[in-house]
Amino acid sequence: MASWKEIQKKSFFDWKKLFSFLSLDPKWEKSIDIDPSFSLYLPLRLAKKITPCHFQDPILRQFLPLIEERENKKGFTADPVHDCSFLKNNLLSKYSGRALLLCSSSCAMHCRFCFRKFLPYSSSKDFSFALSQIEKDKTIQEVILSGGDPLSLDDKTFFSLLSSLE
């Protein structure tokens, strides 16, 4: 059985390769955002579930960066849940009794609908600021590890973080 890291290497990062893989009609190329701020990242195993030659396939639409994402639409915002105003370093604390710790910017795939895709993620694995804030705030009962995917951290970093939180 392949490791998750090996599986991730077999992903689509290039929309042209994905178009070819799915035998999509070149007429749809004009719809693609060729320089998206949130890149294409689609695992091969999921791409195999997309109906070939079908540009409107719902799974495909979930991952393919389209120009229409750049359009400003009334009532929509890049930060719909206002996370940025509650984010300090990599700690998001907006609800009483809990905090969300952004452990990693890495995900197993890039979903177009991700409401945290525009957060200013840090590549640092230094959680000292967040841990000190959590320790200071005695009302925090729950710390949610998020990101990206916290399980993408190396084992040493992940277990050290868990130990510190414990």
Side-chain angles (χ1 to χ4, degrees), residues 16-69:
K16 290 180 183 179
K17 290 179 182 175
L18 181 60
F19 259 57
S20 177
F21 176 77
L22 295 172
S23 302
L24 292 170
D25 190 323
K27 76 178 182 181
W28 295 110
E29 290 181 9
K30 64 182 179 290
S31 303
I32 305 303
D33 185 347
I34 60 171
D35 188 27
S37 59
F38 190 61
S39 62
L40 169 67
Y41 183 18
L42 173 62
L44 174 62
R45 294 188 332 176
L46 187 52
K48 288 179 178 179
K49 297 181 184 303
I50 298 171
T51 305
C53 305
H54 184 48
F55 187 73
Q56 299 301 331
D57 182 285
I59 298 172
L60 175 63
R61 300 292 293 221
Q62 218 168 243
F63 297 97
L64 193 62
L66 302 176
I67 290 174
E68 67 187 57
E69 284 182 46

Side-chain angles (χ1 to χ4, degrees), residues 99-136:
L100 185 125
L101 180 55
L102 299 172
C103 302
S104 171
S105 60
S106 297
C107 277
M109 60 194 79
H110 287 177
C111 306
R112 304 319 301 167
F113 56 81
C114 177
F115 59 87
R116 290 199 179 108
K117 66 184 176 183
F118 296 110
L119 282 182
Y121 285 98
S122 167
S123 59
S124 171
K125 302 298 181 240
D126 178 9
F127 301 109
S128 55
F129 173 81
L131 291 169
S132 70
Q133 294 300 113
I134 292 166
E135 189 174 4
K136 284 180 196 174

Side-chain angles (χ1 to χ4, degrees), residues 67-95:
I67 290 174
E68 67 187 57
E69 284 182 46
R70 292 183 179 268
E71 294 173 12
N72 290 326
K73 296 192 178 174
K74 187 176 179 181
F76 287 84
T77 176
D79 186 16
V81 293
H82 306 287
D83 282 347
C84 287
S85 58
F86 295 95
L87 184 65
K88 291 182 181 84
N89 197 324
N90 53 353
L91 186 68
L92 199 150
S93 186
K94 67 179 178 180
Y95 299 111

